[in-house]
Amino acid sequence: MRQPEQTVLTNMCMVFDDQGRVLVQERRDPNWCGITFPGGHVEQGESFVDSVIREVREETGLTIHHPVLCGLKQWMEEDGVRYLVIFYKTDQFEGTLASSEEGEVFWMNLKEMKQSNLAPGMEYMLRVFLEDSLSEVYLHFEHGDWKNTLK
């Protein structure tokens, strides 16, 4: 009988407003720095939606409402653990914007974001957030290098 697969569950949320701006985070983590969307780990026993609402609040000060599932990213770690990032987006939020230890948060025009210092692989994730025909970024090791495949 096959053993259950170990998986790390995380989330990311594109919060956007009616002025064509998105809420971005300039991450400080040297292992994955640059411009991205807020998000983080799903805690044990927590629903996916509750986790993305909590993570956005912790990292930005905003409380989001009605996040919509819009895609995912996944890859296998060297130790055989699957890492999964669940993508959400919403234009419904309230509160006062506040940065956290994760990084500075601010509003940015989507066009500017595409040309900014994106976190590694964010250009692929952004396409899944924006293009309805895409639902997954699959990161895999091929010929000695990591490859992002859009599906």
Side-chain angles (χ1 to χ4, degrees), residues 5 8 38 58 64-65 75 90 96 118-119 122 139:
E5 183 176 70
V8 174
E58 289 175 0
I64 61 169
H65 303 284
W75 68 92
T90 186
T96 303
L118 296 175
M122 189 62 196
L139 184 61

Coordinates of all heavy atoms in Angstrom, one line a residue, residues 5 8 38 58 64-65 75 90 96 118-119 122 139:
E5 N 1.3 11.0 0.7 CA 2.3 12.0 0.3 C 2.4 13.1 1.3 O 1.3 13.7 1.6 CB 2.0 12.5 -1.1 CG 3.0 13.4 -1.7 CD 2.7 13.8 -3.1 OE1 1.7 14.5 -3.3 OE2 3.4 13.3 -4.0
V8 N 3.3 20.4 1.8 CA 3.3 21.7 2.4 C 2.2 22.5 1.7 O 2.3 22.7 0.5 CB 4.6 22.4 2.4 CG1 4.6 23.8 2.9 CG2 5.7 21.6 3.1
P38 N 0.8 38.9 -1.2 CA 0.8 38.4 0.2 C 0.3 37.0 0.2 O -0.5 36.5 -0.6 CB 0.0 39.3 1.0 CG -0.9 40.0 -0.1 CD -0.1 40.0 -1.3
E58 N -2.5 39.4 8.4 CA -1.2 39.4 9.1 C -0.1 40.2 8.3 O 0.7 40.9 9.0 CB -0.7 38.0 9.4 CG -1.5 37.3 10.4 CD -1.0 35.8 10.6 OE1 -0.1 35.4 9.9 OE2 -1.7 35.1 11.4
I64 N -9.6 40.8 3.9 CA -10.2 40.5 2.5 C -11.5 39.7 2.7 O -11.7 39.0 3.7 CB -9.3 39.8 1.6 CG1 -8.9 38.4 2.2 CG2 -8.1 40.6 1.3 CD1 -8.2 37.5 1.2
H65 N -12.4 39.8 1.7 CA -13.7 39.1 1.7 C -13.8 38.4 0.4 O -13.4 38.9 -0.6 CB -14.8 40.1 1.9 CG -14.7 40.9 3.2 ND1 -15.0 40.4 4.4 CD2 -14.3 42.2 3.4 CE1 -14.8 41.3 5.3 NE2 -14.4 42.4 4.7
W75 N 5.4 22.0 -6.8 CA 6.7 21.4 -7.1 C 7.1 20.4 -6.0 O 6.5 20.4 -5.0 CB 7.8 22.4 -7.3 CG 8.2 23.2 -6.0 CD1 9.2 22.8 -5.1 CD2 7.6 24.4 -5.5 NE1 9.3 23.7 -4.1 CE2 8.3 24.7 -4.3 CE3 6.6 25.2 -5.9 CZ2 8.0 25.8 -3.5 CZ3 6.3 26.3 -5.1 CH2 7.0 26.6 -4.0
T90 N -9.2 38.7 -5.1 CA -10.4 39.4 -4.6 C -10.2 40.9 -4.8 O -9.1 41.4 -4.8 CB -10.7 39.1 -3.1 OG1 -11.9 39.7 -2.8 CG2 -9.6 39.6 -2.2
T96 N -6.7 49.2 7.1 CA -5.7 50.2 6.9 C -4.4 49.4 6.5 O -4.0 48.5 7.3 CB -5.4 51.0 8.2 OG1 -6.6 51.7 8.5 CG2 -4.3 52.1 7.9
L118 N 10.4 41.3 -9.8 CA 9.5 40.2 -9.3 C 10.3 39.2 -8.6 O 11.5 38.9 -9.0 CB 8.8 39.6 -10.5 CG 7.8 40.5 -11.3 CD1 7.2 39.8 -12.5 CD2 6.7 41.0 -10.3
A119 N 9.7 38.5 -7.6 CA 10.3 37.4 -7.0 C 10.5 36.3 -8.1 O 9.7 36.2 -9.0 CB 9.4 36.9 -5.9
M122 N 7.6 34.6 -10.3 CA 6.4 35.4 -10.2 C 5.7 35.7 -11.5 O 4.5 35.8 -11.6 CB 6.6 36.6 -9.3 CG 5.3 37.4 -8.9 SD 4.3 36.3 -7.9 CE 2.7 37.2 -8.0
L139 N 6.4 23.6 -11.4 CA 7.8 23.8 -11.4 C 8.5 22.4 -11.2 O 8.1 21.6 -10.3 CB 8.2 24.6 -10.2 CG 9.6 25.0 -10.0 CD1 10.1 25.8 -11.2 CD2 9.8 25.8 -8.7

